[in-house]
Amino acid sequence: MFKKRSSYGVHLTLAVSCSWLRLLLESFNYIKDTVYWAVHSRSNRTRRQPFECLPIQREREKLQNLMKVSIQTQSMHFKANVLMFVTYSLAVVYIFIAFSTTRKKTTCVDTPSLKSDAYKVDTNLRIEATYNQFQPTKTSTRLSPGDGDGDGGGSPEPYQCTASDLQRRSGTILLTTTNSAYLDFTENWLESIRRTRACPNISVVTEDDQAFNYLSNKTMAGLNVLMTQTAKSTTGKLVFNTKEYKKFVNKRQGYILDLLEQGWEVLFSDVDTFWLRDPFLFFQGNFDMALEEDNHEPASYCAGFVYFRPTERTMQFVKEWIRFMANDKTMKPDQVVMNIMIRRKVIAGLKLRVLDSNKFPNGKLFFDDEWRKDKKDFVVVHNNWIVGHDPKVERFRNCSMWLVDHKEFKSM
């Protein structure tokens, strides 16, 4: 199918090239005739005899009229070719944009990329969540790509974190924000975390009443559901870079700073991430902030998965981050502001750790079949670099990483 579309693109490109050559030829003829007409008319006016005989005068007028009609015809041809050239050019641009934005359907289950100790592929192309390092063999379960609709496979035995499990993370809080439109993603995120048995202390800040009421009724050890103390955000699906999206994400730094000032280490994670392993093992050592790489060259970082240590430099950075956004009349998203501050080295001596993209891949990398080939041992996957709620769900479904009953949330 792609080859057929590609041939259409080649044919249109050739048509544009021919149209361009034809336009040049018509332009040359049009300019030549126009110049000839102008020179000829002026010459006739200067050389015309006062008592020229009538037959000669009529013949000259006839020639002039023929020349005038010829130039008008050339003009019409010229305009028609300009229109044709513009039409073909627009068609080629449209096809180029369509090809560059076409989402190639990702099929994670038929590649060796997830053949690790956390996920294995069986002969039926179903993913088996074994979690060998944590989970007894008896509780291993198979998840078919249809499990999100509750139409296939079983659900794994729920593991409830104990008080001693939570005590391991006693100085750390996993923080996220959500609204009612992203409750399905929040559930998917929580379920993926539960299966890793990382057992973090989780604080979810809800931005509307419906999300708060729903999650408050959820039983999960270590889960703390909070209601925003600032203006509530929209309950609808957030579209990247819109005004409502910016209002939503630009509130997160206030929540982070509040926890840092209380002495907590904070891992902020978007709910469109999927956890395959415990990431806290990667947050050891001497640093102020650990960040997911959003783009390698030029370097930029994602504000949707960041580990903050409660150091003086970190708190200065977050305070300046908040101040910058409060004074920014153009309302830049928090991630843009964060990267500007990092590039400008606003906080001297800030120690950054860039997380390995082979372990913490963004959506641009992980959902590229070629990049993912022969890679394994992923820790946290971020379903970004794609716009919209439903396309993100489709991506997760295609990789059997959608663990919730989607029908439940459609009825809400």
Side-chain angles (χ1 to χ4, degrees):
M1 186 173 179
F2 278 99
K3 288 182 179 179
K4 192 175 181 180
R5 289 182 181 176
S6 177
S7 66
Y8 291 156
V10 170
H11 292 158
L12 267 175
T13 305
L14 290 173
V16 169
S17 301
C18 293
S19 178
W20 183 72
L21 291 173
R22 187 173 176 181
L23 180 64
L24 284 178
L25 183 61
E26 292 288 349
S27 301
F28 174 76
N29 290 333
Y30 176 64
I31 293 170
K32 180 190 70 174
D33 288 347
T34 304
V35 171
Y36 178 80
W37 163 252
V39 172
H40 183 72
S41 298
R42 186 174 180 183
S43 175
N44 283 342
R45 283 196 301 270
T46 55
R47 292 183 300 176
R48 186 172 176 178
Q49 299 298 324
F51 301 106
E52 192 176 52
C53 64
L54 188 60
I56 296 176
Q57 185 178 347
R58 287 178 177 172
E59 190 66 27
R60 178 177 285 113
E61 288 175 354
K62 186 185 294 184
L63 288 172
Q64 287 175 350
N65 289 334
L66 287 173
M67 183 68 72
K68 192 174 181 180
V69 169
S70 175
I71 290 175
Q72 288 175 348
T73 305
Q74 289 286 351
S75 176
M76 290 174 64
H77 287 172
F78 177 73
K79 290 175 182 177
N81 277 283
V82 168
L83 183 61
M84 187 185 302
F85 176 74
V86 170
T87 303
Y88 281 147
S89 299
L90 289 174
V92 168
V93 170
Y94 174 78
I95 287 178
F96 175 78
I97 293 173
F99 272 110
S100 63
T101 56
T102 297
R103 293 197 311 272
K104 185 180 177 182
K105 187 173 181 180
T106 308
T107 51
C108 299
V109 294
D110 59 354
T111 67
S113 60
L114 296 179
K115 293 181 180 177
S116 64
D117 58 341
Y119 278 79
K120 291 184 178 179
V121 180
D122 69 7
T123 54
N124 296 321
L125 295 183
R126 292 182 177 184
I127 290 183
E128 184 177 6
T130 58
Y131 299 104
N132 292 333
Q133 67 271 49
F134 302 119
Q135 194 169 335
T137 318
K138 292 180 181 179
T139 61
S140 64
T141 183
R142 289 180 178 177
L143 300 174
S144 75
D147 283 342
D149 286 330
D151 55 1
S155 59
E157 280 186 23
Y159 175 78
Q160 294 296 331
C161 295
T162 64
S164 60
D165 290 330
L166 297 171
Q167 188 62 30
R168 288 184 298 150
R169 315 286 187 207
S170 58
T172 306
I173 284 184
L174 171 60
L175 176 68
T176 195
T177 60
T178 191
N179 69 353
S180 55
Y182 275 81
L183 280 174
D184 51 353
F185 271 94
T186 308
E187 281 279 23
N188 197 64
W189 177 74
L190 289 170
E191 178 61 15
S192 74
I193 293 169
R194 185 189 65 76
R195 295 185 183 203
T196 67
R197 300 196 177 188
C199 295
N201 298 286
I202 306 173
S203 288
V204 179
V205 180
T206 57
E207 297 290 343
D208 59 65
D209 293 326
Q210 187 178 5
F212 177 76
N213 295 334
Y214 177 86
L215 291 172
S216 295
N217 293 322
K218 185 174 179 62
T219 303
M220 181 176 179
L223 176 62
N224 183 29
V225 181
L226 305 168
M227 185 67 190
T228 182
Q229 298 301 307
T230 59
K232 296 175 184 177
S233 301
T234 178
T235 58
K237 295 176 181 178
L238 298 167
V239 179
F240 177 75
N241 223 22
T242 59
K243 185 177 180 180
E244 288 298 329
Y245 170 85
K246 293 174 186 177
K247 285 168 64 177
F248 183 88
V249 299
N250 288 7
K251 296 167 65 176
R252 306 188 296 195
Q253 293 66 42
Y255 308 143
I256 294 166
L257 180 61
D258 184 55
L259 293 171
L260 290 173
E261 290 178 336
Q262 295 177 48
W264 294 94
E265 294 190 7
V266 180
L267 171 58
F268 183 87
S269 173
D270 282 342
V271 295
D272 61 350
T273 57
F274 191 93
W275 292 35
L276 297 165
R277 287 180 180 75
D278 184 350
F280 291 95
L281 304 174
F282 294 83
F283 303 133
Q284 310 297 323
N286 184 22
F287 65 89
D288 297 311
M289 293 166 53
L291 308 99
E292 172 197 323
E293 195 173 49
D294 193 56
N295 196 53
H296 186 66
E297 194 63 41
S300 63
Y301 310 101
C302 180
F305 194 83
V306 186
Y307 193 92
F308 300 87
R309 287 260 176 81
T311 64
E312 188 61 35
R313 289 184 296 267
T314 302
M315 287 189 278
Q316 287 178 5
F317 182 89
V318 177
K319 287 176 183 177
E320 185 62 22
W321 196 358
I322 294 169
R323 188 198 65 78
F324 190 115
M325 290 189 297
N327 296 330
D328 179 27
K329 294 181 180 179
T330 61
M331 205 174 177
K332 296 182 184 69
D334 62 337
Q335 182 167 303
V336 173
V337 175
M338 181 188 76
N339 280 287
I340 290 173
M341 292 174 59
I342 290 172
R343 283 195 298 270
R344 293 178 181 174
K345 299 182 179 179
V346 171
I347 305 301
L350 184 70
K351 296 179 181 178
L352 300 178
R353 171 178 291 180
V354 181
L355 298 171
D356 183 1
S357 290
N358 290 318
K359 303 292 183 185
F360 297 85
N362 59 44
K364 180 183 179 183
L365 297 176
F366 181 80
F367 295 100
D368 181 341
D369 293 342
E370 286 301 315
W371 180 89
R372 199 180 59 254
K373 190 186 298 181
D374 300 327
K375 289 185 174 65
K376 61 179 183 177
D377 301 329
F378 302 109
V379 180
V380 175
V381 174
H382 201 158
N383 193 357
N384 56 3
W385 281 85
I386 190 171
V387 178
H389 173 282
D390 295 343
K392 287 175 182 275
V393 172
E394 181 186 356
R395 259 183 171 183
F396 272 156
R397 282 186 187 281
N398 292 335
C399 289
S400 292
M401 298 164 86
W402 191 247
L403 309 176
V404 299
D405 185 358
H406 198 54
K407 293 176 182 176
E408 175 186 353
F409 297 98
K410 283 186 176 180
S411 63
M412 291 181 65

